[in-house]
Amino acid sequence: MSTEIPKTQKGVIFYENNGPLEYKDIPVPTPLPNELLIHVLYSGVCHTDLHAWHGDWPLPVKLPLVGGHEGAGVVVGMGSSVKGWKVGDYAGIKWLNGSCMSCEECELSNESNCPEADLSGYTHDGSFQQYATADAVQAAKIPAGADLKNIAPILCAGVTVYKAIKSANLKAGDWLAISGACGGLGSLAIQYGKAMGFRILGIDGGAEKEELFKKLGGEYFIDFTQCKDIIAEVKKATNGGAHGVINVSVSEAAIEASTNYVRSNGTVVLVGLPAGAVCKSNVFNQVVKSTKIVGSYVGNRADTREAIDFFVRGLVKSPIKVVGLSQLASVFDDMQAGKIVGRVVVDTSC
Ligand code: 8ID
Ligand code: ZN
Ligand code: ZN
């Protein structure tokens, strides 16, 4: 493998929110003393990348921006203070690219909640380019020989759903409902949930998604485009309501419904981030059922290591379609239309 680093590279960059996604030559970044320079070979495309392009969250994005935060590649260089990495190691670019490491949240390993968090593909140019920089402490360690295109989605989607499922505090045999079950996060949540010992009910739309759900080991599927009463159907299928719900759809209405089909003493986990959404929960219902509603935001370094380990042990597979990075704009169109089944991964070489 050559470690010669070019001066320019191909990347997708936008200069304003909703502006053209330009596939072009851009400079190769120089790593800071604490950073790795990673030759990104593949990157997953997360719905968060679409939010970043739209600029629809109350958190400003860096502009111009190179998006992407599921980058898998090889270390080709590093800053002077980096420890524990060598050229040639496999490394992953995650959403959390760095944090202050001294605030209370960082001290408690809740680094994603750090007020100074630096975010790949949002406040820091991300993985939709051939060479990207990543904080050496936060970059994910990918075992040698791992399949880089398949591991890419684990770096955000996998870690996020793994942590979210843990946040539901379920027991083996409990029902886990996944709203948005066959998108990028959901298709991994089915498998982590199953591997962790839960019964999986999925909600999403269309025959192709139902087929994927069954293929990945899901037990009961509800098509939200057909079903007249999702709340009643979940309660019936689970004999009283899901013990835990992972909301990974990008729908305020779906989130509200989940507060009604969760079982008494169960937990609704909020993960998906529809723009401007409010989680409406009827107070009487929530009190008498004593349910919990919790947010879950990616995962920490231990969650990342554990989520990767599930993948490496073959318990979780990435249902991916690979296209060239130059096709990113059309991937965003398909994602906006809810047409993506599983995850799209871009190959940065074309
Ligand atoms: O750390 C976090 N909390 C985190 C991490 C990563 C991503 C949060 N996210 C957020 C993203 O920003 C996005 O808002 O999670 C959401 C889902 O990301 P994704 O899985 O990457 O999106 P996708 O692949 O487009 O899948 C969404 C699925 O939801 C279904 C769609 O059909 C699609 O399969 N869906 C929708 I939109 N409305 C639905 C509804 N009403 C629905 N499924 C069921 N009911
Ligand atoms: Zn993501
Ligand atoms: Zn901090």
Side-chain angles (χ1 to χ4, degrees), residues 99-106 111 114-116:
S99 68
C100 81
M101 285 298 182
S102 57
C103 72
E104 182 180 319
E105 298 306 334
C106 285
E111 292 135 29
C114 174
E116 306 289 319

Side-chain angles (χ1 to χ4, degrees), residues 19-328:
L21 292 155
E22 299 183 28
Y23 175 68
K24 64 181 205 181
D25 289 318
I26 55 173
V28 169
T30 306
L32 295 172
N34 61 308
E35 288 179 336
L36 304 173
L37 180 65
I38 299 173
H39 182 195
V40 180
L41 297 170
Y42 296 98
S43 176
V45 183
C46 179
H47 206 111
T48 294
D49 299 312
L50 190 59
H51 292 294
W53 179 58
H54 286 318
D56 62 14
W57 287 347
L59 178 66
V61 289
K62 164 193 177 292
L63 288 172
L65 181 70
V66 176
H69 58 275
E70 285 185 349
V74 183
V75 175
V76 291
M78 65 193 73
S80 54
S81 63
V82 170
K83 293 191 182 73
W85 290 94
K86 58 182 189 321
V87 166
D89 284 347
Y90 280 5
I93 292 176
K94 303 183 304 172
W95 175 242
L96 185 68
N97 196 318
S99 68
C100 81
M101 285 298 182
S102 57
C103 72
E104 182 180 319
E105 298 306 334
C106 285
E107 193 186 26
L108 294 169
S109 311
N110 298 324
E111 292 135 29
S112 332
N113 306 114
C114 174
E116 306 289 319
D118 188 22
L119 308 172
S120 304
Y122 205 93
T123 58
H124 188 118
D125 284 338
S127 52
F128 296 152
Q129 56 184 340
Q130 293 174 309
Y131 292 87
T133 52
D135 175 53
V137 171
Q138 287 299 338
K141 299 260 183 194
I142 298 180
D147 180 331
L148 292 176
K149 62 179 175 307
N150 281 293
I151 208 168
I154 304 300
L155 300 166
C156 172
V159 174
T160 300
V161 298
Y162 173 62
K163 167 68 192 296
I165 296 170
K166 286 206 279 188
S167 307
N169 283 316
L170 301 175
K171 298 190 307 301
D174 281 354
W175 277 102
L176 173 65
I178 304 163
S179 172
C182 300
L185 269 61
S187 57
L188 289 169
I190 297 166
Q191 301 172 73
Y192 278 101
K194 222 181 152 221
M196 291 158 87
F198 312 128
R199 299 179 73 178
I200 311 297
L201 178 144
I203 308 170
D204 212 311
E208 221 185 326
K209 294 198 176 175
E210 178 165 10
E211 195 183 317
L212 178 70
F213 179 79
K214 295 275 162 62
K215 197 172 122 201
L216 297 178
E219 185 170 338
Y220 194 96
F221 185 80
I222 299 176
D223 187 333
F224 79 92
T225 65
Q226 309 287 327
C227 178
K228 296 272 182 295
D229 189 345
I230 290 173
I231 297 167
E233 190 165 344
V234 175
K235 285 183 173 171
K236 185 157 176 255
T238 58
N239 194 24
H243 299 85
V245 187
I246 305 297
N247 278 288
V248 288
S249 62
V250 194
S251 160
E252 186 177 56
I255 292 169
E256 182 176 354
S258 73
T259 68
N260 290 298
Y261 62 66
V262 67
R263 208 180 189 93
S264 289
N265 293 293
T267 306
V268 169
V269 186
L270 305 180
V271 178
L273 291 156
V278 171
C279 171
K280 294 195 197 107
S281 168
N282 178 285
V283 172
F284 183 83
N285 175 54
Q286 188 167 353
V287 170
V288 299
K289 286 172 65 186
S290 309
T291 55
K292 293 171 278 298
I293 301 177
V294 300
S296 186
Y297 187 36
V298 286
N300 65 14
R301 287 173 291 156
D303 298 318
T304 304
R305 175 177 43 73
E306 291 166 18
I308 288 177
D309 191 53
F310 272 70
F311 172 85
V312 170
R313 288 187 288 137
L315 297 169
V316 169
K317 301 207 170 9
S318 293
I320 55 167
K321 179 181 163 205
V322 182
V323 305
L325 175 61
S326 57
Q327 305 306 304
L328 186 65

